Amino acid sequence: MNAHSVCRLGAGQFHGHVVRSREVGGFRLTEDVYPQNLRVPRHSHELAYLSFVVEGSYTECSKNQTRECTPGTAIFHPASETHSDHFQRAGGHIFSVEIAHAWIKRLRDENCDTATPRTFNRGAVTNTVTQLLREFREPDPFSALAVEGLVLQLLAQLSRYRRASLHGPARWMKIVLDVLHKEFDQKLDLTLIANRAGIHPVHLAREFRKHHRRTVGDYIRQVRTDAACQRLTRSDEPISEIALQTGFFDQSHLTKILKTLTGYTPAQYREQARGR
């Protein structure tokens, strides 16, 4: 293979060590791990797929962008997209969902953009992937049906995001999102956020729900939960401290929210993320 050639991986093939793999309803789910400091040369995949970082971190470079992939990051990769990866000292633990060509065609028929990569760091997509991973890891007689339903839900979320992004939110929305992501650990309310953006709280609530398909409260709760999950995965900090540092009232509050969103308590999430 010369320096300019690109390795093309077929369905179910990844450069990591496959821990488990399963095919359900035209979708293949794979969980694999990568050693520390691994450099994966330029390659492409036959099928479009969504990858989710369970643990570890890496930098992914494609033709048009560089992505910093940390725990909780989900990435939609179009079929045949060429990219390379550099895993950091912690290596990587990745959950992937490959999507058969027939499903991609159906999305294109519905005017969904399936040719553009997209990164998700929070929100409905990452929440659904987390539920999907749990079903994948803990199979029972009904898991196949649950997995197929969750993957279809995931495709619907990707499609809706594309359509919504065509119209784009108002410029003030960026100010709102900056506040939510940079000050999530502070005490925030709708009036304060609206004042920062220079709009009325009612207008903020209505437009935010229209573009993000959730309330401001639900969004900030997810941002805080994502931040807490990253700390649970990356550190051995006491759960009570993580709760306070990520905007929750106390450990009990974090436990209640995390259990609702992921099905795990903080301690269980930490154990699952570390593969224990």
Side-chain angles (χ1 to χ4, degrees):
M1 184 180 294
N2 61 51
H4 300 288
S5 62
V6 175
C7 173
R8 181 178 174 83
L9 300 179
Q13 294 183 326
F14 292 91
H15 283 284
H17 169 69
V18 175
V19 176
R20 56 180 66 87
S21 183
R22 183 181 181 191
E23 186 170 358
V24 179
F27 308 103
R28 177 168 288 280
L29 285 64
T30 302
E31 191 174 355
D32 56 344
V33 294
Y34 296 78
Q36 63 180 12
N37 301 320
L38 174 68
R39 290 184 179 272
V40 179
R42 292 198 315 144
H43 63 282
S44 66
H45 295 257
E46 176 187 350
L47 298 179
Y49 70 103
L50 187 89
S51 63
F52 179 74
V53 185
V54 180
E55 188 177 3
S57 61
Y58 63 98
T59 301
E60 186 166 82
C61 298
S62 62
K63 179 179 180 181
N64 299 317
Q65 60 182 309
T66 298
R67 313 175 186 111
E68 295 300 329
C69 308
T70 56
T73 301
I75 308 165
F76 172 75
H77 299 83
S80 300
E81 177 208 25
T82 299
H83 58 267
S84 61
D85 303 296
H86 177 205
F87 288 85
Q88 314 303 334
R89 293 181 62 185
H93 191 153
I94 313 297
F95 175 53
S96 302
V97 181
E98 293 179 283
I99 308 167
H101 293 307
W103 281 107
I104 292 297
K105 182 179 183 303
R106 289 184 63 174
L107 290 177
R108 284 200 302 265
D109 291 343
E110 294 295 326
N111 297 318
C112 177
D113 176 12
T114 61
T116 305
R118 176 66 192 176
T119 302
F120 303 87
N121 290 307
R122 61 197 60 81
V125 170
T126 54
N127 188 31
T128 300
V129 177
T130 300
Q131 295 177 57
L132 185 59
L133 177 58
R134 186 169 69 250
E135 287 288 349
F136 176 64
R137 284 177 165 177
E138 303 173 3
D140 61 32
F142 305 100
S143 290
L145 185 61
V147 165
E148 188 169 1
L150 285 168
V151 177
L152 293 178
Q153 178 178 321
L154 188 60
L155 294 185
Q157 290 166 343
L158 291 172
S159 180
R160 286 170 179 162
Y161 177 86
R162 302 293 185 181
R163 289 176 178 175
S165 66
L166 293 176
H167 303 288
R171 291 183 178 180
W172 55 259
M173 188 69 78
K174 183 179 185 304
I175 299 175
V176 171
L177 293 176
D178 282 346
V179 171
L180 296 179
H181 288 289
K182 294 179 180 178
E183 302 177 34
F184 65 86
D185 56 343
Q186 305 298 312
K187 183 176 180 180
L188 299 173
D189 60 52
L190 204 61
T191 300
L192 181 151
I193 298 170
N195 287 341
R196 293 276 195 93
I199 58 174
H200 194 279
V202 174
H203 182 61
L204 166 59
R206 182 177 61 248
E207 291 300 306
F208 193 94
R209 189 180 185 93
K210 174 182 175 182
H211 287 287
H212 296 280
R213 299 183 179 276
R214 59 177 58 197
T215 65
V216 175
D218 287 339
Y219 191 97
I220 188 62
R221 187 178 298 115
Q222 184 67 58
V223 173
R224 287 169 173 165
T225 303
D226 289 345
C229 286
Q230 290 197 21
R231 284 177 177 264
L232 287 168
T233 300
R234 295 177 174 180
S235 75
D236 293 315
E237 294 176 90
I239 294 173
S240 58
E241 290 186 16
I242 291 176
L244 294 176
Q245 292 170 2
T246 52
F248 293 94
F249 296 124
D250 51 29
Q251 181 174 336
S252 177
H253 185 208
L254 169 59
T255 299
K256 179 181 177 181
I257 298 301
L258 188 62
K259 182 77 171 177
T260 298
L261 292 178
T262 71
Y264 294 118
T265 65
Q268 290 170 338
Y269 186 92
R270 175 175 270 167
E271 290 179 357
Q272 287 286 332
R274 295 180 178 183
R276 294 176 181 172

